Amino acid sequence: MTRLEKTRNLILCALFAALTAVLSQIAIPIQPVPVNLATFSVFVAGGVLGAKRGAISQAVYVLLGVIGLPVFASFSGGMGILLGPTGGYIVGYVAAAWLVGLLSARCHGKAYWFALSMAGGLALCYLLGTAWYMVVAHTGLVESLLLCVVPFLPGDAAKIAVAALLVPVLRKTLSKAGMAVSV
């Protein structure tokens, strides 16, 4: 990989970390987990950047928040957020982007396959987040699912639909611009 390719990939990872930070602020503040657009960025990062770079972009986002920058929902940051009830979902962004990227490598530009890969990534994020929520909040599985998953399904389905249509366009556009990211 050339120095230019490394620089381009670094910039793209940073841009997706920044996009996740921005979309985390576009939220409906319900409790215990706010509804925001961050997962949209996670889906697109995995689909466009691939497994490794998608996960790196989200790891950068998480690390920025951990050191205290206000990148998490409601302009919050710090290790306390990661250790709180929503921490598992935030860590789940890294895993979700990785899985979306891994599965998206086999999509051959088909939006419905991207949607399925994103649904898989979302399921992994839900798994990690709900498990952590259960530990922190001392709740059972059904209560946790009713609080932290079920209310978000319609919005997440809409985010997946839009992201699955956008990813093939972004991949094609980046490729035409000579910026194709190997997935």
Side-chain angles (χ1 to χ4, degrees), residues 6 21 26-27 30 48 56 107 129 151:
K6 288 179 185 178
I26 302 172
I30 63 170
V48 171
I56 289 170
C107 289

Side-chain angles (χ1 to χ4, degrees), residues 54-103:
I56 289 170
S57 73
Q58 298 312 299
V60 168
Y61 164 76
V62 172
L63 290 173
L64 290 171
V66 165
I67 65 170
L69 293 176
V71 297
F72 299 147
S74 302
F75 294 101
S76 61
M79 191 64 172
I81 300 297
L82 215 55
L83 297 175
T86 61
Y89 297 101
I90 295 169
V91 170
Y93 293 173
V94 179
W98 173 81
L99 185 58
V100 170
L102 182 72
L103 297 174

Side-chain angles (χ1 to χ4, degrees), residues 53-160:
R53 291 173 190 90
I56 289 170
S57 73
Q58 298 312 299
V60 168
Y61 164 76
V62 172
L63 290 173
L64 290 171
V66 165
I67 65 170
L69 293 176
V71 297
F72 299 147
S74 302
F75 294 101
S76 61
M79 191 64 172
I81 300 297
L82 215 55
L83 297 175
T86 61
Y89 297 101
I90 295 169
V91 170
Y93 293 173
V94 179
W98 173 81
L99 185 58
V100 170
L102 182 72
L103 297 174
S104 290
R106 295 157 179 79
C107 289
H108 307 293
K110 305 291 185 200
Y112 56 90
W113 287 115
F114 283 116
L116 288 174
S117 73
M118 292 169 190
L122 180 63
L124 181 56
C125 185
Y126 278 157
L127 174 71
L128 295 171
T130 304
W132 181 250
Y133 181 83
M134 289 170 59
V135 168
V136 171
H138 307 289
T139 59
L141 178 61
V142 172
E143 182 183 359
S144 297
L145 290 173
L146 289 173
L147 285 170
C148 302
V149 175
V150 173
F152 301 91
L153 291 173
D156 285 335
K159 289 183 254 182
I160 286 171

